[in-house]
Amino acid sequence: MGILFVPTLFTFLWMTVFGNTAIDAIMHHGATYLADAVNSDVSIALFKFFEHMPMGTFLSTIAVCLVATFFVTSSDSGSLVIDNLTSGGDNDAPVWQRIFWALMQGLVASVLLLAGGLQALQTAAIASALPFLVVMLFMCFGLFKALQDDWLKINSVQQHNTSVQYAKTNMTWEDRLDVLVSRPTHQDAQTFIDHVATPALSRVCQVFMAKGIVADLVYLDGRVRLVIASDEQTSFAYGLRIRAFSLSTDTEATDETEEAYYRVEVFLEHGGQYYDVMGYTEEQIIADVVTQYERYLHYLHLSSAEYITEGN
Amino acid sequence: MRFKSSINPPVFFSSVFLIAAMVIVCAIWPEQSQHVFKTVQTWFERKAGWLYILGVAIFLIFIVFVMVSRFGDIKLGPDHAEPDYSYVSWIAMLFSAGMGIGLMFFGVAEPVMHYLAPPDATPESLQAAKDAMMITFFHWGLHAWAIYAVVALCLAYFSYRHKLPLLPRSALYPLIGDRIFGPIGHAVDTFAVLGTMFGVATSLGFGVLQVNSGLNYLVGLPVSAMVQVGLIVVITLIATASVFSGLDSGVKRLSELNLLLAFLLMMFVLLIGPTVSLLQAFVQNTGAYLSDLVGKTFNLYAYQQKNDWIGGWTLLYWAGGSLGHHLSAPLLRVFLVVVLSVNF
């Protein structure tokens, strides 16, 4: 936050001190010469302003020195930046390049002053800024996309919930790794849904029914879905769907059939969860359903339960 | 001694070519080019002014959004990075790279000009005085620094976190991928060179005009274009000499000293002038600025046909001044380090 507000406040203070004092002098102390000076030549205003202060000449001398030094530092940093831009981001460019740009800046400033004075300078700056203004809009967009991606990366690491199930059941890490490095085809995914996931969900469904909770198993178009409907509250649903992806590194079209891989992703009542259960055992799928059901109950508890009293 | 170079030919030569072409045209046909400048500026004021206003508004909104949104937590570099420069020396470089000249040149002149010729109020009235400070704050406030922050943030982020070159083109990587190393990237960097070159040249121009006036006032040196060119030559040579002798650290110290001197100058004026009323005005104006921010941000005087007024001022600061200045050095070296340490 400091980057935006500290310099701004300093600038405000500066403008208040110089501007308000000057306006005050014109309004209340009849310093019309200051108004005249500003109207005739802007660059003299500061020195006329010091005239009505004690030690005016001394202050003006300091001001001239300050401007001259600012000139040197501006030229210096300007040539550094331009050199950096024209040498591909190289920070240790040879000295002659920077000198070249420092001289070039002096030359441009001189020519513009001779050709049209203040107005030429302003026009050149305004016109040359336009293309970069447009570029900057794209830079903002690029930054936004990159930040979004970064945020996803950070959060997907923390919230990726499949590792829980791996730890919960007996499965060697070699087997788990085997699943992770394989690239399932659509056929693999469908076989998995039909022969592992559906039986697993069917077992869970039966247990729910045995406990008097009305659960329903829906199998449609290669998708399977366990639903516990509720009229008063949000229903619980645990569905599995096959989703196809391709890892494209750039925007150029890649050979889709070869690059495509399939995931069996979990879909809850409120939508897809972006994690893959392909390769789980029946036990693991059941563990995942139970985990999600537990979260669902926790959500119900947080959103609608009411605290009655301590103990009984 | 081997003649080393590290230039990137496409950017270097297209920049040199475009700048040289402009310089030669101005040198050979000064009168015609003066006319062209006038026409071009009028065109920009009337037809493209809204684009600048909108663009800058977008930058400010974007920066504020990034700060307050979930993205604000994303770090720009390693967790335990220490800043290379202190905060004070960073601020010093920020101001010495162009903003300093602007403050010296316009500190007295701009508020007084708005007071004498305000866009809305009666000239030289109490309302005009209030408005004058408001408008000045608006030109020198958050918007100008938002332009700075956008460029700096892009450069810092993509070079530190994504290990891309410290160049504007790197920010387009998420959009066009490796094509940033091709013609599009070269064009982007060339635009940045042109913006910086003419932005810096403009502040050098302002600086030399003021030095000329000051010397005229103090020792009677005549005010003329030739004298100004002479001054540019002398000061540029001093700057060159400082580069040549590798006095970079010296320049750093010089800019810190300069800021201190400027600060003392300001404190002196504050104490000699109407101190209490100045401090009151500072607080009140800052509050009024914040409350007017949105409306003023988008104010184009669309219903009043005051295009000239916007053109003359707002454009000058945001396009001419800010874009140019804010591409300058601190941003490339110091800024990112400080941003790192502040964690944004």
Side-chain angles (χ1 to χ4, degrees):
Chain A
M1 297 301 252
I3 57 164
L4 210 51
F5 296 112
V6 174
T8 303
L9 283 178
F10 180 81
T11 315
F12 283 179
L13 187 61
W14 180 279
M15 286 297 176
T16 305
V17 166
F18 285 87
N20 260 15
T21 309
I23 290 178
D24 184 67
I26 298 174
M27 278 176 92
H28 304 303
H29 304 289
T32 45
Y33 62 93
L34 190 52
D36 296 340
V38 169
N39 274 333
S40 61
D41 178 9
V42 181
S43 60
I44 198 78
L46 184 65
F47 309 109
K48 289 284 179 191
F49 170 76
F50 285 140
E51 218 166 70
H52 91 146
M53 301 235 140
M55 298 191 286
T57 314
F58 174 68
L59 292 179
S60 291
T61 312
I62 289 187
V64 171
C65 293
L66 266 175
V67 178
T69 331
F70 276 138
F71 186 116
V72 172
T73 53
S74 295
S75 161
D76 189 63
S77 51
S79 60
L80 182 76
V81 173
I82 297 179
D83 181 31
N84 202 316
L85 290 168
T86 52
S87 52
D90 182 2
N91 270 324
D92 296 313
V95 172
W96 73 264
Q97 283 172 219
R98 277 183 64 185
I99 292 176
F100 171 78
W101 288 114
L103 294 176
M104 200 78 163
Q105 281 172 144
L107 182 67
V108 170
S110 308
V111 167
L112 286 174
L113 269 180
L114 287 176
L118 213 60
Q119 188 178 34
L121 287 167
Q122 292 173 5
T123 310
I126 292 173
S128 66
L130 184 63
F132 196 67
L133 182 94
V134 176
V135 167
M136 277 177 68
L137 290 172
F138 284 103
M139 286 170 70
C140 282
F141 187 50
L143 180 65
F144 177 74
K145 280 188 77 170
L147 284 173
Q148 214 173 20
D149 186 61
D150 234 9
W151 188 82
L152 201 66
K153 211 182 302 164
I154 293 167
N155 287 278
S156 66
V157 172
Q158 285 166 358
Q159 297 180 350
H160 191 58
N161 21 16
T162 52
S163 49
V164 178
Q165 279 67 49
Y166 158 59
K168 263 185 191 166
T169 54
N170 314 319
M171 185 188 208
T172 65
W173 63 271
E174 286 95 341
D175 284 349
R176 183 68 192 142
L177 204 57
D178 208 34
V179 172
L180 289 177
V181 298
S182 70
R183 282 192 155 224
T185 63
H186 189 271
Q187 187 56 46
D188 295 339
Q190 194 60 60
T191 312
F192 173 77
I193 287 199
D194 292 347
H195 297 290
V196 184
T198 311
L201 290 185
S202 154
R203 278 169 64 192
V204 180
C205 187
Q206 281 163 13
V207 175
F208 272 126
M209 296 295 271
K211 295 192 182 302
I213 298 168
V214 183
D216 196 11
L217 190 67
V218 188
Y219 184 92
L220 194 71
D221 296 336
R223 298 170 176 181
V224 64
R225 191 171 161 87
L226 174 74
V227 185
I228 299 171
S230 167
D231 292 337
E232 287 140 42
Q233 286 141 336
T234 324
S235 306
F236 173 75
Y238 184 96
L240 294 175
R241 290 185 201 174
I242 298 173
R243 301 185 81 206
F245 294 90
S246 76
L247 273 184
S248 57
T249 41
D250 55 345
T251 45
E252 307 291 316
T254 46
D255 193 345
E256 277 185 30
T257 47
E258 197 169 310
E259 294 293 321
Y261 63 97
Y262 295 86
R263 288 160 59 98
V264 177
E265 293 197 350
V266 174
F267 279 71
L268 299 179
E269 174 65 27
H270 51 94
Q273 298 301 300
Y274 303 102
Y275 73 90
D276 182 21
V277 295
M278 177 78 198
Y280 276 20
T281 61
E282 268 187 44
E283 291 303 317
Q284 283 174 312
I285 299 245
I286 291 170
D288 195 42
V289 177
V290 173
T291 308
Q292 292 296 1
Y293 188 68
E294 194 174 333
R295 286 183 184 164
Y296 161 77
L297 289 182
H298 187 58
Y299 161 74
L300 284 189
H301 164 74
L302 290 178
S303 64
S304 32
E306 250 175 74
Y307 179 70
I308 305 170
T309 174
E310 196 88 23
N312 317 321
Chain B
M1 192 177 103
R2 208 158 58 90
F3 191 68
K4 274 199 314 177
S5 93
S6 65
I7 56 169
N8 178 19
V11 177
F12 184 87
F13 289 111
S14 46
S15 306
V16 171
F17 174 77
L18 288 168
I19 295 166
M22 213 265 338
V23 166
I24 290 168
V25 167
C26 287
I28 298 181
W29 299 285
E31 267 146 50
Q32 286 90 331
S33 46
Q34 191 165 5
H35 177 72
V36 170
F37 278 128
K38 201 167 279 176
T39 319
V40 170
Q41 187 168 3
T42 313
W43 184 86
F44 268 102
E45 285 166 9
R46 286 176 195 279
K47 307 289 181 203
W50 66 271
L51 186 61
Y52 287 95
I53 308 277
L54 179 65
V56 176
I58 289 174
F59 300 146
L60 181 59
I61 293 168
F62 179 75
I63 281 294
V64 171
F65 164 75
V66 168
M67 278 177 170
V68 301
S69 72
R70 59 192 185 188
F71 299 139
D73 293 336
I74 295 176
K75 285 175 185 147
L76 290 177
D79 280 358
H80 301 292
E82 289 288 323
D84 278 1
Y85 295 81
S86 72
Y87 200 65
V88 171
S89 108
W90 166 65
I91 298 262
M93 294 191 84
L94 218 60
F95 280 94
S96 59
M99 207 68 170
I101 289 181
L103 289 179
M104 298 298 290
F105 196 90
F106 289 108
V108 169
E110 190 184 344
V112 171
M113 284 171 101
H114 294 320
Y115 171 67
L116 299 175
D120 292 322
T122 321
E124 304 194 43
S125 62
L126 189 64
Q127 189 58 40
K130 283 185 191 168
D131 286 359
M133 291 317 294
M134 234 26 307
I135 297 161
T136 309
F137 271 33
F138 184 58
H139 287 150
W140 292 86
L142 293 172
H143 294 79
W145 296 102
I147 298 173
Y148 191 115
V150 163
V151 179
L153 186 60
C154 286
L155 290 173
Y157 178 78
F158 285 99
S159 83
Y160 270 83
R161 207 164 170 98
H162 295 272
K163 307 286 175 233
L164 287 166
L166 194 53
L167 294 170
R169 64 169 79 183
S170 297
L172 302 187
Y173 190 82
L175 305 179
I176 59 171
D178 280 339
R179 277 181 288 168
I180 61 163
F181 299 108
I184 299 179
H186 299 323
V188 165
D189 287 354
T190 306
F191 290 152
V193 171
L194 296 180
T196 312
M197 171 57 85
F198 290 105
V200 172
T202 303
S203 41
L204 297 189
F206 283 139
V208 90
L209 285 176
Q210 197 167 26
V211 170
N212 194 182
S213 293
L215 290 177
N216 172 263
Y217 178 81
L218 290 170
V219 296
L221 186 76
V223 173
S224 80
M226 285 323 288
V227 172
Q228 287 154 10
V229 171
L231 285 171
I232 290 183
V233 171
V234 171
I235 306 179
T236 300
L237 286 180
I238 295 173
T240 310
S242 82
V243 172
F244 196 64
S245 54
L247 278 179
D248 275 6
S249 58
V251 170
K252 200 183 111 190
R253 225 163 289 137
L254 189 64
S255 57
E256 280 173 47
L257 189 73
N258 229 19
L259 188 73
L260 180 70
L261 205 58
F263 187 74
L264 290 178
L265 191 67
M266 182 180 76
M267 292 314 284
F268 182 81
V269 176
L270 177 64
L271 292 176
I272 294 298
T275 313
V276 174
S277 91
L278 283 181
L279 290 175
Q280 282 172 342
F282 172 63
V283 174
Q284 183 178 335
N285 289 342
T286 306
Y289 169 80
L290 288 176
S291 111
D292 266 10
L293 194 56
V294 177
K296 277 244 179 349
T297 295
F298 295 101
N299 192 0
L300 287 164
Y301 290 100
Y303 298 99
Q304 289 146 296
Q305 298 302 319
K306 284 193 183 174
N307 283 332
D308 293 345
W309 193 85
I310 296 213
W313 286 101
T314 309
L315 276 193
L316 170 63
Y317 288 106
W318 287 355
S322 304
L323 278 174
H325 300 166
H326 293 138
L327 277 165
S328 284
L331 165 162
L332 286 168
R333 287 191 302 200
V334 194
F335 188 92
L336 17 123
V337 189
V338 171
V339 167
L340 271 177
S341 67
V342 180
N343 263 341
F344 198 43

